[in-house]
Amino acid sequence: MHIYPVTQEGGLNHVKLLAREDDVIIDNLKQLLCHTLSDFIEDLVKDIRWLDETPLPQYFNKLDKFTKDRRTHELIYLLGEANQVLTTDISLEELIGETEDYVARLCLQTTEPQNAIPDVVIWMISGNKRIASCRIPASSLMFSETSRCRGKMCGKFQTIFLTVSNIKEYTGVLMNAHLQPPGVEKLEDLVDQKGGAQVRLLLWLGLEQFQSEWAKEAMGGNVAVYAETYENQAFFVKWGTMRLTRPDWSDAKGKAKQPKEAFVVPDGWKWDGDWFINPELSIAFEADEGLNEWQEDIYENQIRAPFSSWTNDPTKSYWSDVRGDKLIAQENEKEAKELTRDDIQPPEGWRWVGNWQVDKNRACDKEGWEYSIEPGSSGYTPIERNVHLCRHRRWVITRLRLTDPKALEKKMEKRKKAIEEGWEYARLANLPYHLTEHSLDLARRRRWHRKMVAMNEEKPAVFYFEGEKKASTCEKCYHHKYQLRAYLYQARDMYSADKTGLSDPYCVLGFGRYSARSRVVKESVCPTWDQTILIDQIKLFGDPTTIRESPPKILLNFFDKDTIGKAGFIGKVVCEPVVRFSTKDPAPRLDWYPIDRYTKTEGECLAAFELLLDEGGDLPFQPPTAPPPDRHFIVPSGIRPILQKTRIEVLCWGVRDMKRFQLLPVESPYVELECGGTVVQTKHIQKVSRNPNFPDPVVTFDVLLPKEQLHAPPLNIRIVEKRAFGRASMVGTHIIKSVKAFFVEPNAVQQHNKILAMVVKSMTPQLQQTQETQSIGGKEASPVKYVEDITNAPIAADPDASKGSGFDWWTKYYYSIGDDQRTLEEYVNQGHDRMVVYSHELEEAFNNFTDLVQNFPLFRGKGSRDPNDPEGQVVGLFKGSVKVYPLPDDGSPMPDRIFSHIPSSAPVECVARVYIVKGIALQPQDPDGKSDPYIKIKIGKNTINDKENFIANNLDPLFGKMFEIPITLPTDHTLTVTVMDYDYTSADDLIGTTSIDLENRYLSHHRALCGIPQSYCKQGSNKWRDSALPKEILKEYCLSMNLGEPQWESSTDVVVDRTIYTLKQFEGDNSERAPHLDTDGSTEEGKKSRVHPDLGADDQRLALHILRERKLVPEHIETRTLYNPLQPGISQGKLHMWVDIFPKTGANIPPPIDISPRKPEKYYLRIVVWNTKDVLLDEVSVATGEAMSDIYVKGWLRGQDETQKTDTHFRSLDGEGNFNWRFVYKFDYLAAEKVVVIKKKEHFYSLDKSETHLPPVLTMQVWDNDLFSPDDFIGTLDLNLLAMAEPARDASVCSVDQLPELGKPDVKLVNLFEQKRLKGWWPVFTEEEGVRELTGKLELEMEVVTEEEHNLKPAGKARDEPNLNPKLDPPNRPATSFLWFTSPWKTFKHIIWKHYKMWIIGAVLVLFLVIFIVIFIYTAPSTIMQTIVQGILPG
């Protein structure tokens, strides 16, 4: 299944074409596009129903079934989306975008994942070489009995361009298959190939069983099969078969013998008539066929004897063609005359243009000669040698075709006679054949055909003869005559083919086998041809209705005419003509066609094309001709645009950053403007290095421009350098493609004059002193530090000016960016100011400050004119502005000129202050994924390098830097801020850079010098920082806008522009609400500002409120994106920054704002670990079997490497531990941001310390000490010193319920920095699966002190000296607390004797008894024997 959204895509293209017109109604276009979408929905419903109802064939596999289901689901999803879009009110642009998305998604569904049929490949063959090819998907040509499953190109006429591109386009009914030579990888390698040939054909691919359908699909002709054979003859005295090197009757190559009688008719076919001569029609057409202009050439030949010189006598030369055949005229049967150059006459129907000239644009010597050893040889060389005995040179002349019907008819009769004979001639049988017989031709042949017709259309047309197959299929079609009219009006922004940045363009039109050429326009990339190209007697085969539905393509090739060398390729246009059968059909309209040069679009062409059926009907009148000497047809009325008198005003302000031209700097340029054939110029600049602005910058001229702005011509801006000896060289060009974007309504002229008057008035104080720009030098300048505190006089006079609010600038910054964690509630509650933080450059919010001047890039040399191309030809900038408006033609008064009030162009000295706040997401440059960024500032010749203050290992650095630089506008117009990466051992890396045009900001009426704050404050962090007070700015603004001077009734009431303003309207009755800031910097309507002590006088505040309504630049922070030239277009990070500009003339310059980063203060956290209770007994004594733990406590501050721990309370049998141990932690704390500043090296090999901001979190843990195994974890406690759980006074009430947890809003929290000291019990716990389990209680005393307090009341760690504040005595632990192997006696007393006393006593008694028995047994026998002996033996 193949789904082709042709209808919907065609309707979409029609809507997009109509949207370009000036008088189009958007609602009508939306209605038209919605109608197309409705048709699209109906088609989707039919497709979905057809997919559901159609049974799956038996041969479908799992992939086929899955593909069908996927397509069905996608169609259903598209159906739902399309229905939703139709019921939603969206803009035309969004509707077009949605429709384009539907078309793209439908095209994705057409891809067949398992297509087994190979693609169709069309080869272009020259000789035996394949020189070009075209690949066409078989799915596009496949025939199917079901029409919705048929390939969209099956049986449709197609136009194939034999050009040098590999892009395949499948649009509409025609397919443009561009042929690319095999082996070509880069399209640029084919720059010299001028493809223009076309093949119009009908393709059909299907099974053999559907062969009969092919005959039905073949439109405009009948399918026939012909038997083909060639009759061959050779010339030997006369033409015959003697000395013939090939068979008398053969195939086209002369290899196979094919006599007429050898052909056998295949089954199902029969002969239709006898054999007849049917010559190849292609050789009947000469090389100039279809061309209106041709270059004729002949060769002058000379021969010399060895060791002789060449003759200069032209009568000794003979003339020949390119093959070396002498030009001979046969006067009669016996005599022939050699022709000379002057004897040659143009063919019938042609005339000569100019005279014969030697062609030196080739490989030859300076006189055009080429040398060879023998005549007729192809080995000619431009270098003469002694062995060369012949030479020739080429003479050329141009001839034009005459539109003479009699001459054309005579030529056609002559050609018809040659075709009837049918002979083709060649020098040898294996060489190319031609129609006209030459004197050296030795072989000739003619082609014979015999027609076969089908008796059974299902039988294949394959016949046999003598064991071999031969068949020839052709299509005999009926042709119709047409006339093509190409209305070539103009082009714009074409490719620059010459080094001057211009071209000499002309157009070559190709239409089938017909071609024509336009005239050459000298030195222009926006040429105006105003030419009509006519091609008569065009024969097209097929039904005219089919031609109208799918007309042949027109190919326009644009070239640059060069005096020496080949014409350079500029681009091409592929388009379709409008087919008209009569003059009643609608005529074509001029439209812009993109000019494609390889893979890029290089300009546009305004043209129209029509194809007129020329078969006896009335054709439109012939177009009028241009006056002599051109005499070409011009675009007729009705096609050409309707012109009206229009005024163009150009403000040529100046040039910037001009590159050298011919090794010399550009110092004295002037501007040359061209539009609609009118050329004007300005006065030249005296010296660019002193003042790059033009002395009289306004240029006004009246031209005739089209009423329809779609056809508006381009405006060419050329910068011409005036040099010594009256020389003038063009050093840069810019082309405004269309002045349509600069059209203004006449009633808007007066309003624009008011704006310009405001700009002039605002700049008057600064331009009273005209000074020349002084060179500062190319060396790096150190940062300009503010030495003298220049305070605004009116503000300094306030007696409360010295009082401050205690808030620094960073408080205001964090409040402005919405950082609630770092924003002070006191600042918000008091209603202080808030800045506008733009998420983009300031220029995006104010239309790039182009209300007075714009920047136009200047180009020079060959190449495209893309200002974003890093390899482009940008050589500078032109600053100016263009206004175009129609002039009345009914006698009404002329409108006022727009640029009637412009500021002075004299240089102005200023002070620029660049505030760099911070970097955001910078691109890492170091191997560890970090960077060491620092700032580098460059403006003019001033350079500030802040390398010594680099920030180590940070991608979001907080710079907090202010750089003050003296500048002179307009010479120092561009500020460049660069972020570099510092490296110790190699050159520093570029992270990114951003540029700001300070001059545009200075000239803008939005007053981008210094941002207007939200309120007028006389002191504090929001102290007024402009050089002028609000009342002065308001007065200046009103006078410049012709509103009259403000009338102050009182300090709280003023009349401006006939409107009464009161302070109560803006601030109300001192409401307590803080101001709410919109994205544009204005206070939201209905919100009232709170009056705090820092506010200044009432009249100044009221003036400021009125100014804020005028949409001037507010006090702001802009976000500028950094870019690296090595990765163009890819963001390398961003900067928060802003720029203030203060002219040195006028009021005093106020002091700068201190935005230095906040410095942390040193704090000490003292923690005394007193006792623990109810600690989980984690071990069992081996000796006694009792549960016990060897308890110790350790703790640390988050982010610090230092971990402190107590000594061990051994053998705690009841979970109680006594320590009297002190932890002391030193840390850097930012009180304003409530974070701890950690500075440490991330790795041991790191060279610098990294800075990290973390919340002050203390972690305390209880552990069980093990001697021979890792210690066992018992419990932990995390305390945020800013919001920590309040301790329990007694251990009995201490539990995990006193700790904060999600879902416990009633837990009381305390801030240690406010309480200073806390003492009590906190629980330690373990957590498993979100459930906390109490594992002990910890008695702590915490105290946080500053470094000064710590020095006044010192305290040592543990119980070391100084053991003060408080003094810690050794803990009174129970006697059972000891380490067993260090105290043997205590081990015996408290462990062994206590538990095994009776066992020990019993063991001793048993031991004594055993000893007694042993002694008894040992002594008893001897005693008994002694007693017995003494009884037996007396005495």
Side-chain angles (χ1 to χ4, degrees):
M1 180 190 69
H2 302 283
I3 304 169
Y4 297 101
V6 177
T7 304
Q8 287 73 24
E9 188 175 3
L12 174 62
N13 294 333
H14 181 61
V15 171
K16 293 169 68 175
L17 181 62
L18 292 178
R20 299 172 57 183
E21 299 183 0
D22 300 330
D23 54 351
V24 68
I25 301 177
I26 301 299
D27 293 338
N28 294 345
L29 289 182
K30 290 180 63 176
Q31 185 177 1
L32 178 60
L33 192 54
C34 289
H35 179 71
T36 303
L37 273 180
S38 300
D39 296 340
F40 169 68
I41 292 175
E42 293 179 3
D43 293 341
L44 280 181
V45 173
K46 294 179 182 178
D47 289 336
I48 295 172
R49 186 182 298 113
W50 180 80
L51 286 173
D52 292 337
E53 296 175 355
T54 304
L56 294 178
Q58 297 180 356
Y59 55 82
F60 263 34
N61 55 24
K62 292 184 178 180
L63 181 59
D64 293 325
K65 297 177 181 178
F66 175 78
T67 303
K68 176 181 178 295
D69 296 338
R70 176 178 59 83
R71 288 174 174 171
T72 304
H73 291 320
E74 181 65 21
L75 293 180
I76 294 174
Y77 190 71
L78 279 177
L79 179 61
E81 285 188 355
N83 282 318
Q84 183 178 1
V85 168
L86 280 181
T87 58
T88 306
D89 186 16
I90 59 177
S91 63
L92 178 62
E93 291 76 9
E94 294 175 336
L95 188 59
I96 291 176
E98 291 291 337
T99 309
E100 289 178 339
D101 180 62
Y102 297 154
V103 173
R105 288 162 62 181
L106 276 180
C107 291
L108 289 177
Q109 300 302 316
T110 63
T111 304
E112 178 60 42
Q114 51 176 1
N115 189 6
I117 302 178
D119 294 341
V120 176
V121 179
I122 299 176
W123 289 96
M124 182 171 65
I125 301 176
S126 176
N128 294 324
K129 293 184 178 180
R130 298 179 177 182
I131 62 174
S133 64
C134 170
R135 193 184 191 95
I136 304 175
S139 59
S140 301
L141 306 174
M142 182 60 65
F143 174 80
S144 175
E145 292 181 296
T146 306
S147 59
R148 64 175 59 246
C149 297
R150 193 174 302 165
K152 67 175 182 178
M153 308 312 304
C154 179
K156 305 293 183 180
F157 277 104
Q158 306 170 47
T159 302
I160 298 179
F161 290 97
L162 306 183
T163 56
V164 287
S165 174
N166 62 350
I167 303 173
K168 299 184 181 67
E169 302 175 359
Y170 302 97
T171 57
V173 181
L174 283 174
M175 174 179 62
N176 299 328
H178 301 263
L179 294 164
Q180 175 180 351
V184 175
E185 298 180 357
K186 297 182 180 180
L187 300 180
E188 288 77 359
D189 297 339
L190 305 174
V191 67
D192 292 332
Q193 300 193 27
K194 307 171 185 178
Q198 302 179 27
V199 178
R200 185 164 174 84
L201 44 78
L202 192 70
L203 294 180
W204 187 92
L205 178 63
L207 300 178
E208 184 180 352
Q209 64 185 19
F210 301 130
Q211 183 178 357
S212 59
E213 297 293 335
W214 156 245
K216 299 177 182 179
E217 295 288 344
M219 295 172 288
N222 299 321
V223 178
V225 179
Y226 292 86
E228 178 183 278
T229 185
Y230 283 85
E231 179 185 1
N232 303 292
Q233 290 184 359
F235 184 82
F236 184 73
V237 181
K238 64 178 182 178
W239 292 105
T241 58
M242 187 178 296
R243 301 291 181 95
L244 189 62
T245 59
R246 55 173 57 189
D248 299 349
W249 299 87
S250 67
D251 59 353
K253 294 184 178 181
K255 296 181 179 179
K257 187 176 182 181
Q258 295 181 180
K260 295 179 181 180
E261 58 274 7
F263 287 86
V264 179
V265 181
D267 295 338
W269 293 76
K270 68 176 183 178
W271 294 115
D272 184 14
D274 200 358
W275 291 91
F276 61 94
I277 299 173
N278 189 12
E280 179 65 42
L281 296 180
S282 61
I283 65 171
F285 298 99
E286 300 176 359
D288 58 4
E289 186 69 29
L291 299 179
N292 294 329
E293 182 179 341
W294 183 258
Q295 191 177 59
E296 192 75 34
D297 63 343
I298 60 174
Y299 286 81
E300 179 184 1
N301 300 268
Q302 289 186 3
I303 300 176
R304 69 172 180 178
F307 307 105
S308 63
S309 60
W310 300 104
T311 179
N312 293 327
D313 187 2
T315 60
K316 300 295 181 66
S317 302
Y318 71 92
W319 302 85
S320 68
D321 58 10
V322 66
R323 296 184 298 271
D325 296 340
K326 292 183 179 181
L327 301 180
I328 300 175
Q330 195 77 24
E331 295 185 352
N332 49 53
E333 296 180 357
K334 298 182 179 181
E335 296 182 2
K337 174 186 177 183
E338 291 189 7
L339 300 180
T340 63
R341 177 190 63 194
D342 299 331
D343 297 330
I344 303 240
Q345 298 299 323
E348 295 181 2
W350 294 81
R351 67 178 178 88
W352 296 127
V353 177
N355 299 319
W356 289 95
Q357 295 180 351
V358 177
D359 183 11
K360 299 181 181 179
N361 189 17
R362 57 208 310 265
C364 58
D365 61 8
K366 61 181 180 180
E367 295 181 356
W369 292 102
E370 297 176 275
Y371 302 89
S372 179
I373 298 177
E374 58 181 356
S377 173
S378 60
Y380 281 90
T381 176
I383 302 175
E384 180 186 2
R385 301 186 184 278
N386 293 331
V387 295
H388 291 153
L389 301 179
C390 62
R391 67 175 183 175
H392 73 186
R393 59 179 174 181
R394 184 171 181 255
W395 291 75
V396 296
I397 191 174
T398 302
R399 53 183 166 97
L400 294 179
R401 186 186 298 273
L402 299 176
T403 57
D404 186 1
K406 294 183 178 180
L408 182 61
E409 184 179 357
K410 187 176 181 181
K411 181 179 179 181
M412 295 300 296
E413 291 179 357
K414 182 178 179 182
R415 179 184 299 174
K416 183 178 179 181
K417 183 178 180 181
I419 292 176
E420 289 177 354
E421 295 181 359
W423 290 108
E424 306 170 12
Y425 298 89
R427 284 193 173 187
L428 297 175
N430 57 350
L431 294 181
Y433 285 83
H434 46 268
L435 184 64
T436 306
E437 182 181 1
H438 296 159
S439 59
L440 298 180
D441 291 337
L442 300 178
R444 72 175 182 177
R445 69 177 185 181
R446 58 182 173 182
R447 187 174 65 176
W448 291 77
H449 275 173
R450 190 175 186 183
K451 184 179 178 181
M452 292 191 309
V453 295
M455 300 174 61
N456 185 357
E457 294 182 352
E458 295 182 359
K459 295 293 183 178
V462 180
F463 54 85
Y464 302 88
F465 61 96
E466 298 185 359
E468 295 185 1
K469 294 187 290 184
K470 177 66 182 178
S472 175
T473 303
C474 68
E475 181 178 354
K476 186 176 181 181
C477 304
Y478 306 101
H479 68 266
H480 298 270
K481 292 183 180 181
Y482 295 87
Q483 182 189 78
L484 177 67
R485 295 191 180 189
Y487 304 106
L488 191 63
Y489 192 68
Q490 65 181 11
R492 63 189 182 191
D493 197 23
M494 301 184 74
Y495 180 81
S496 301
D498 296 337
K499 294 182 179 180
T500 59
L502 301 176
S503 297
D504 303 319
Y506 67 92
C507 173
V508 176
L509 182 147
F511 184 73
R513 57 191 179 90
Y514 305 93
S515 65
R517 175 175 168 177
S518 72
R519 65 190 184 93
V520 179
V521 178
K522 295 293 186 180
E523 296 184 350
S524 177
V525 290
C526 299
T528 300
W529 289 286
D530 191 10
Q531 182 176 357
T532 299
I533 300 177
L534 272 70
I535 302 180
D536 293 316
Q537 301 296 322
I538 296 178
K539 294 181 180 179
L540 294 180
F541 294 88
D543 185 64
T545 305
T546 305
I547 298 296
R548 170 178 282 182
E549 294 176 355
S550 58
K553 296 286 186 179
I554 296 176
L555 177 65
L556 300 179
N557 281 323
F558 296 93
F559 299 96
D560 170 59
K561 179 69 174 179
D562 290 332
T563 306
I564 300 176
K566 296 182 179 180
F569 179 68
I570 295 180
K572 69 175 182 179
V573 172
V574 179
C575 51
E576 292 182 357
V578 175
V579 181
R580 301 175 63 190
F581 293 161
S582 66
T583 56
K584 297 180 181 180
D585 294 339
R589 297 182 57 187
L590 291 174
D591 196 7
W592 291 103
Y593 295 93
I595 300 175
D596 297 327
R597 188 176 189 271
Y598 307 124
T599 58
K600 295 182 179 180
T601 299
E602 298 287 354
E604 294 176 302
C605 174
L606 183 62
F609 309 91
E610 62 178 346
L611 188 62
L612 303 170
L613 183 63
D614 185 11
E615 292 188 342
D618 292 335
L619 294 177
F621 292 108
Q622 199 173 49
T625 58
D630 293 334
R631 307 292 298 177
H632 62 271
F633 293 121
I634 64 174
V635 178
S637 59
I639 303 295
R640 65 187 305 112
I642 301 175
L643 305 180
Q644 67 176 356
K645 192 174 183 180
T646 308
R647 176 165 293 170
I648 300 179
E649 294 189 27
V650 182
L651 174 62
C652 303
W653 187 252
V655 293
R656 306 289 183 266
D657 303 330
M658 293 299 296
K659 294 184 180 179
R660 292 174 174 265
F661 178 73
Q662 295 178 351
L663 303 179
L664 296 177
V666 177
E667 287 291 345
S668 183
Y670 63 88
V671 180
E672 188 176 87
L673 304 170
E674 178 189 357
C675 184
T678 304
V679 180
V680 295
Q681 66 182 40
T682 65
K683 294 183 179 180
H684 66 89
I685 299 175
Q686 295 296 333
K687 194 172 183 61
V688 170
S689 58
R690 294 181 180 178
N691 183 8
N693 290 341
F694 292 99
D696 295 328
V698 179
V699 177
T700 304
F701 58 100
D702 298 340
V703 295
L704 294 175
L705 296 184
K707 279 188 176 182
E708 192 172 357
Q709 296 183 10
L710 177 65
H711 299 154
L715 173 64
N716 298 329
I717 303 174
R718 302 190 185 102
I719 306 300
V720 182
E721 167 77 344
K722 184 178 181 181
R723 294 195 167 178
F725 307 107
R727 292 183 301 130
S729 303
M730 189 175 64
V731 296
T733 61
H734 181 86
I735 299 172
I736 299 177
K737 291 185 179 181
S738 175
V739 295
K740 174 183 177 182
F742 300 94
F743 268 89
V744 295
E745 294 295 333
N747 54 8
V749 174
Q750 191 67 25
Q751 180 65 22
H752 194 274
N753 286 337
K754 290 183 178 181
I755 296 176
L756 286 179
M758 183 194 70
V759 177
V760 175
K761 190 67 178 177
S762 62
M763 296 177 59
T764 302
Q766 292 85 20
L767 299 177
Q768 293 176 352
Q769 300 179 359
T770 302
Q771 301 177 356
E772 293 185 352
T773 305
Q774 298 179 357
S775 176
I776 302 176
K779 298 182 179 180
E780 291 188 353
S782 60
V784 180
K785 299 183 179 180
Y786 193 83
V787 180
E788 182 180 1
D789 188 5
I790 304 175
T791 308
N792 204 335
I795 301 178
D798 195 304
D800 298 329
S802 60
K803 297 180 181 180
S805 59
F807 302 115
D808 59 358
W809 180 86
W810 290 97
T811 304
K812 181 179 180 180
Y813 171 73
Y814 290 125
Y815 176 46
S816 301
I817 65 176
D819 190 344
D820 298 334
Q821 185 177 0
R822 301 182 183 183
T823 301
L824 299 180
E825 296 183 3
E826 183 182 357
Y827 183 88
V828 179
N829 295 334
Q830 291 183 7
H832 287 283
D833 287 358
R834 191 175 186 177
M835 298 179 294
V836 180
V837 180
Y838 294 103
S839 60
H840 45 73
E841 283 79 0
L842 184 64
E843 283 75 8
E844 293 187 21
F846 294 93
N847 195 25
N848 292 322
F849 298 111
T850 58
D851 45 284
L852 181 63
V853 294
Q854 302 180 37
N855 293 342
F856 300 96
L858 298 174
F859 303 91
R860 184 197 310 155
K862 295 183 179 180
S864 62
R865 287 173 292 277
D866 185 4
N868 299 320
D869 186 2
E871 299 181 359
Q873 303 295 326
V874 179
V875 295
L877 291 176
F878 168 75
K879 277 187 178 289
S881 183
V882 180
K883 299 297 178 184
V884 183
Y885 52 91
L887 297 178
D889 53 1
D890 54 359
S892 55
M894 293 292 180
D896 296 337
R897 297 198 175 186
I898 296 179
F899 296 119
S900 58
H901 301 87
I902 60 171
S904 174
S905 58
V908 180
E909 292 187 357
C910 303
V911 172
R913 289 176 180 163
V914 185
Y915 294 87
I916 309 295
V917 182
K918 71 174 183 179
I920 303 173
L922 300 182
Q923 187 74 12
Q925 301 293 326
D926 296 336
D928 58 355
K930 300 287 185 179
S931 290
D932 307 318
Y934 66 89
I935 298 296
K936 187 175 181 180
I937 305 290
K938 187 179 188 311
I939 179 170
K941 296 183 179 180
N942 278 345
T943 301
I944 299 178
N945 196 334
D946 199 33
K947 184 176 182 177
E948 59 184 11
N949 296 321
F950 73 92
I951 301 176
N953 303 324
N954 204 324
L955 298 179
D956 298 284
L958 196 68
F959 292 108
K961 295 287 185 179
M962 190 282 298
F963 304 94
E964 185 172 295
I965 311 172
I967 63 174
T968 301
L969 296 177
T971 53
D972 304 329
H973 59 92
T974 300
L975 168 68
T976 302
V977 180
T978 305
V979 181
M980 303 291 294
D981 171 57
Y982 179 79
D983 289 329
Y984 281 97
T985 58
S986 62
D988 296 348
D989 300 322
L990 173 65
I991 297 178
T993 182
T994 182
S995 298
I996 302 175
D997 194 327
L998 298 183
E999 185 181 11
N1000 280 13
R1001 294 192 178 191
Y1002 180 81
L1003 296 174
S1004 173
H1005 77 274
H1006 296 290
R1007 201 177 186 278
L1009 304 180
C1010 184
I1012 301 296
Q1014 189 175 356
S1015 62
Y1016 174 76
C1017 297
K1018 59 186 178 182
Q1019 62 183 9
S1021 59
N1022 298 313
K1023 181 179 178 180
W1024 185 260
R1025 60 186 184 89
D1026 205 335
S1027 58
L1029 296 178
K1031 287 183 65 176
E1032 299 174 0
I1033 299 175
L1034 178 61
K1035 179 181 178 181
E1036 181 181 345
Y1037 176 83
C1038 293
L1039 293 177
S1040 62
M1041 294 294 293
N1042 297 325
L1043 303 178
E1045 189 173 344
Q1047 302 297 322
W1048 290 91
E1049 303 294 336
S1050 65
S1051 61
T1052 58
D1053 300 88
V1054 66
V1055 178
V1056 176
D1057 193 19
R1058 294 173 293 180
T1059 303
I1060 301 176
Y1061 296 93
T1062 63
L1063 188 61
K1064 185 177 180 180
Q1065 295 176 355
F1066 298 99
E1067 298 183 359
D1069 297 328
N1070 298 340
S1071 175
E1072 295 294 328
R1073 290 178 112 176
H1076 174 76
L1077 198 68
D1078 292 339
T1079 56
D1080 61 351
S1082 61
T1083 54
E1084 184 181 2
E1085 184 178 358
K1087 301 291 184 180
K1088 307 299 181 181
S1089 300
R1090 173 190 173 93
V1091 179
H1092 52 78
D1094 293 342
L1095 293 179
D1098 294 342
D1099 54 352
Q1100 301 288 356
R1101 302 208 312 272
L1102 178 57
L1104 179 60
H1105 287 308
I1106 298 174
L1107 287 173
R1108 290 179 61 80
E1109 286 192 343
R1110 304 295 172 174
K1111 303 299 182 181
L1112 302 182
V1113 174
E1115 187 179 13
H1116 64 277
I1117 298 289
E1118 59 177 311
T1119 304
R1120 300 200 67 88
T1121 304
L1122 301 173
Y1123 294 99
N1124 193 323
L1126 298 179
Q1127 297 176 332
I1130 301 177
S1131 173
Q1132 304 296 312
K1134 297 182 178 180
L1135 282 181
H1136 268 185
M1137 60 172 293
W1138 84 91
V1139 180
D1140 288 340
I1141 305 174
F1142 300 101
K1144 289 187 177 180
T1145 57
N1148 294 329
I1149 301 177
I1153 302 175
D1154 184 13
I1155 64 169
S1156 300
R1158 292 167 170 169
K1159 303 297 182 182
E1161 298 180 3
K1162 293 189 179 299
Y1163 278 78
Y1164 286 86
L1165 176 63
R1166 302 174 180 176
I1167 303 173
V1168 178
V1169 182
W1170 293 107
N1171 303 300
T1172 61
K1173 276 193 175 182
D1174 300 334
V1175 176
L1176 180 66
L1177 302 180
D1178 191 59
E1179 296 182 351
V1180 177
S1181 176
V1182 178
T1184 63
E1186 294 178 308
M1188 67 172 190
S1189 286
D1190 300 331
I1191 303 173
Y1192 71 90
V1193 180
K1194 68 177 180 179
W1196 65 89
L1197 272 177
R1198 181 176 296 179
Q1200 291 189 353
D1201 296 332
E1202 181 185 9
T1203 300
Q1204 302 181 31
K1205 63 180 181 178
T1206 65
D1207 58 351
T1208 304
H1209 185 118
F1210 292 100
R1211 292 184 52 77
S1212 174
L1213 304 179
D1214 54 359
E1216 179 179 356
N1218 310 111
F1219 298 98
N1220 296 357
W1221 198 273
R1222 182 186 290 112
F1223 295 159
V1224 179
Y1225 298 100
K1226 180 181 179 181
F1227 62 95
D1228 296 331
Y1229 182 68
L1230 271 175
E1233 301 180 15
K1234 301 177 182 179
V1235 292
V1236 175
V1237 180
I1238 306 297
K1239 293 183 178 180
K1240 64 178 181 180
K1241 294 183 178 181
E1242 294 186 355
H1243 308 282
F1244 71 93
Y1245 53 80
S1246 299
L1247 299 176
D1248 300 297
K1249 294 182 178 180
S1250 301
E1251 182 175 312
T1252 309
H1253 291 186
L1254 297 173
V1257 177
L1258 172 68
T1259 301
M1260 302 294 293
Q1261 293 182 351
V1262 179
W1263 289 75
D1264 171 65
N1265 184 40
D1266 288 333
L1267 184 61
F1268 300 108
S1269 62
D1271 297 347
D1272 299 324
F1273 172 75
I1274 296 178
T1276 185
L1277 173 66
D1278 292 332
L1279 296 175
N1280 189 336
L1281 303 185
L1282 299 174
M1284 57 189 300
E1286 187 177 22
R1289 295 185 177 180
D1290 188 76
S1292 60
V1293 296
C1294 180
S1295 66
V1296 293
D1297 294 334
Q1298 72 186 75
L1299 298 178
E1301 190 179 4
L1302 292 176
K1304 290 185 179 180
D1306 55 343
V1307 176
K1308 187 175 182 181
L1309 303 177
V1310 294
N1311 189 335
L1312 183 60
F1313 291 93
E1314 297 176 355
Q1315 297 288 338
K1316 294 295 184 182
R1317 177 176 296 187
L1318 288 174
K1319 184 178 181 182
W1321 291 87
W1322 283 273
V1324 294
F1325 61 90
T1326 58
E1327 186 173 3
E1328 293 183 2
E1329 298 180 356
V1331 179
R1332 293 179 177 180
E1333 180 182 354
L1334 182 67
T1335 56
K1337 301 173 183 178
L1338 191 61
E1339 183 182 14
L1340 303 174
E1341 181 178 355
M1342 300 184 189
E1343 181 184 18
V1344 60
V1345 296
T1346 62
E1347 185 177 26
E1348 182 180 359
E1349 294 172 344
H1350 179 75
N1351 294 332
L1352 292 175
K1353 297 180 179 180
K1357 294 182 180 180
R1359 291 184 289 272
D1360 299 338
E1361 295 299 331
N1363 190 0
L1364 301 173
N1365 303 309
K1367 182 178 180 181
L1368 301 179
D1369 297 325
N1372 185 16
R1373 294 172 178 168
T1376 57
S1377 178
F1378 59 89
L1379 186 60
W1380 64 271
F1381 68 86
T1382 59
S1383 302
W1385 173 246
K1386 287 186 178 182
T1387 302
F1388 176 77
K1389 178 180 178 181
H1390 296 288
I1391 298 178
I1392 300 177
W1393 180 256
K1394 180 179 180 180
H1395 295 85
Y1396 301 99
K1397 178 172 61 177
M1398 298 305 297
W1399 289 93
I1400 294 175
I1401 295 175
V1404 172
L1405 292 178
V1406 171
L1407 180 61
F1408 280 114
L1409 179 60
V1410 171
I1411 292 174
F1412 176 77
I1413 294 174
V1414 170
I1415 294 175
F1416 175 77
I1417 295 174
Y1418 179 77
T1419 58
S1422 59
T1423 304
I1424 293 173
M1425 290 300 298
Q1426 186 177 1
T1427 303
I1428 295 174
V1429 171
Q1430 289 178 358
I1432 297 175
L1433 299 175

